[in-house]
Amino acid sequence: MEAQRWTWLGCGNPLYYFLQECTAGRKSISQMSIATTVIMISIGTTIVQPIANNQLWKAVGSAAIFMSGRSKIVIENGQINQGNLRAMRMTVDQLEMRLRQKGITNISDVKFATLEPNGQVGYELMRHAKPVTIGEIERMLNLKSGAIMDQSSLFQEVSINRHTIPIDPKLQ
């Protein structure tokens, strides 16, 4: 029994770290702090330990808890949502760094920014900061007729915490 436990631990931990590296990316792992690395090891142990004890359902439950989450709005109408930023344990400097990496130079140009469960930042620019599209140029030059359609915004869905267009429950 003890040999089987060590076999699971020996195979499970490297497998977990391999999967974590695939999802997080090598560059992200190399930039992790010591505290983040310790947390990842703890999560891996929490998920692998039930497998070693032949309690697969506990491992699946643990994985579901750690791998689920919702997007959080960190910028709304050019203003930083400090409460959500604090809840995500992220500093303003870290948020600014991620925005600069996306090519955003001014927070006031951001209509919405969300921190996704995978750690990535999603954003929508204010109308005055958006790049012009070919469709908009064609409409301005009257080359193509068509009204601007009222589109559902993914960021609006995050702020109201539901889909604006009905989605099949099986797909959620």
Side-chain angles (χ1 to χ4, degrees):
M1 184 68 179
E2 188 66 24
Q4 186 181 22
R5 180 176 174 267
W6 283 107
T7 303
W8 272 109
L9 287 175
C11 295
N13 277 336
L15 179 63
Y16 169 76
Y17 294 122
F18 173 74
L19 292 173
Q20 190 69 29
E21 187 173 327
C22 289
T23 58
R26 287 187 183 132
K27 189 172 185 180
S28 297
I29 288 177
S30 68
Q31 294 173 347
M32 285 185 190
S33 66
I34 293 172
T36 306
T37 306
V38 169
I39 289 170
M40 281 184 56
I41 292 169
S42 300
I43 291 171
T45 304
T46 304
I47 293 171
V48 171
Q49 191 65 36
I51 294 171
N53 293 330
N54 294 325
Q55 297 173 332
L56 187 61
W57 60 273
K58 282 186 181 180
V60 171
S62 298
I65 289 170
F66 288 119
M67 306 225 180
S68 63
R70 291 195 171 261
S71 301
K72 296 278 187 184
I73 294 177
V74 291
I75 298 176
E76 192 168 2
N77 295 321
Q79 300 295 317
I80 295 174
N81 185 327
Q82 293 184 356
N84 283 350
L85 206 60
R86 207 173 293 118
M88 302 297 285
R89 290 188 166 87
M90 185 179 217
T91 66
V92 174
D93 289 336
Q94 290 171 328
L95 177 62
E96 289 173 343
M97 175 189 69
R98 290 183 181 200
L99 292 173
R100 283 191 301 272
Q101 290 172 340
K102 300 278 187 182
I104 299 170
T105 58
N106 196 343
I107 290 178
S108 63
D109 288 342
V110 179
K111 185 174 181 180
F112 284 104
T114 57
L115 190 60
E116 305 299 332
N118 66 359
Q120 298 293 318
V121 173
Y123 65 94
E124 179 184 359
L125 295 174
M126 296 276 200
R127 183 169 169 79
H128 69 271
K130 288 182 181 179
V132 179
T133 66
I134 292 173
E136 291 169 330
I137 292 173
E138 288 174 343
R139 279 192 293 276
M140 286 189 308
L141 298 174
N142 290 324
L143 297 175
K144 182 179 176 183
S145 63
I148 297 174
M149 298 177 69
D150 184 27
Q151 297 179 353
S152 171
S153 170
L154 295 175
F155 295 99
Q156 181 184 17
E157 291 179 2
V158 172
S159 67
I160 63 174
N161 204 17
R162 66 177 177 83
H163 293 285
T164 54
I165 300 169
I167 304 292
D168 183 2
K170 295 176 187 173
L171 300 176
Q172 291 185 6

